[in-house]
Amino acid sequence: MNVFNIRRDYLVPGMKASGLANRWNRDDEFVLYTAGSISLATLELVAHRSGIRVDVPYCLVTLEIRLDKLDVTEWLPNELPTDWQSVQLYPKLQEIGSNWYQNQQSLALKVPSALVPQESNFIINTKHPAFNKKVKVAQVDPFFWDQRLL
């Protein structure tokens, strides 16, 4: 399966995770946030950046992940707390993601997008024993922002 990540081009080598807290992880938990489609990856980045600088080069990174059923832990919208999409629920979602990360439950955490709950994001645990065997950068392409989005 392919998942997608849009990032500044200097961040591509090695696909390192920042370890900064976000919706599904706490600080010092090294995960990659990816989307199930290129359009969702675009929307997620626009929503989470305070501003996209069009004068800085970005890349679309396609990751190929060889996932078996046991490699994925999935949370459906109806399994999450009420109002899970709100910023106020970050601590609860971070608890869910942190437990998954710390217990090495699976390589990927499949979660609904807070922006488009009918689509999925895949959080990848870069410290999982299967990461280097099952995740690889399949393609890196320049990504150009359409000014109408910004």
Side-chain angles (χ1 to χ4, degrees):
M1 114 178 267
N2 289 339
V3 293
F4 307 92
N5 178 281
I6 298 170
R7 55 181 48 215
R8 305 265 292 267
D9 71 344
Y10 69 86
L11 295 172
V12 172
M15 287 301 295
K16 297 211 184 319
S18 71
L20 297 175
N22 209 322
R23 184 180 298 270
W24 295 99
N25 70 295
R26 293 180 176 144
D27 279 329
D28 296 322
E29 294 177 342
F30 297 89
V31 298
L32 294 174
Y33 279 75
T34 65
S37 70
I38 296 169
S39 55
L40 183 58
T42 303
L43 184 60
E44 292 281 356
L45 193 58
V46 168
H48 293 285
R49 285 278 192 209
S50 57
I52 301 291
R53 293 190 47 200
V54 295
D55 60 325
V56 175
Y58 280 81
C59 288
L60 169 65
V61 180
T62 303
L63 293 175
E64 182 182 314
I65 310 176
R66 292 180 294 122
L67 295 174
D68 300 319
K69 187 175 181 176
L70 295 176
D71 290 325
V72 182
T73 300
E74 181 174 6
W75 282 82
L76 299 172
N78 64 347
E79 299 171 322
L80 295 170
T82 305
D83 297 331
W84 66 271
Q85 293 162 285
S86 72
V87 174
Q88 290 76 21
L89 266 279
Y90 265 38
K92 182 63 181 163
L93 300 181
Q94 287 173 337
E95 179 182 335
I96 291 169
S98 185
N99 287 337
W100 161 80
Y101 178 87
Q102 297 296 332
N103 294 326
Q104 300 283 313
Q105 197 169 340
S106 61
L107 175 60
L109 180 63
K110 182 179 180 181
V111 294
S113 164
L115 301 169
V116 185
Q118 299 84 353
E119 295 192 37
S120 299
N121 287 318
F122 293 82
I123 317 305
I124 302 168
N125 183 345
T126 64
K127 300 299 182 188
H128 191 277
F131 178 77
N132 289 325
K133 292 180 263 182
K134 293 195 170 201
V135 179
K136 74 174 190 172
V137 175
Q139 192 168 326
V140 178
D141 297 301
F143 188 82
F144 301 99
W145 293 100
D146 186 315
Q147 293 287 335
R148 294 172 294 172
L149 289 173
L150 308 175

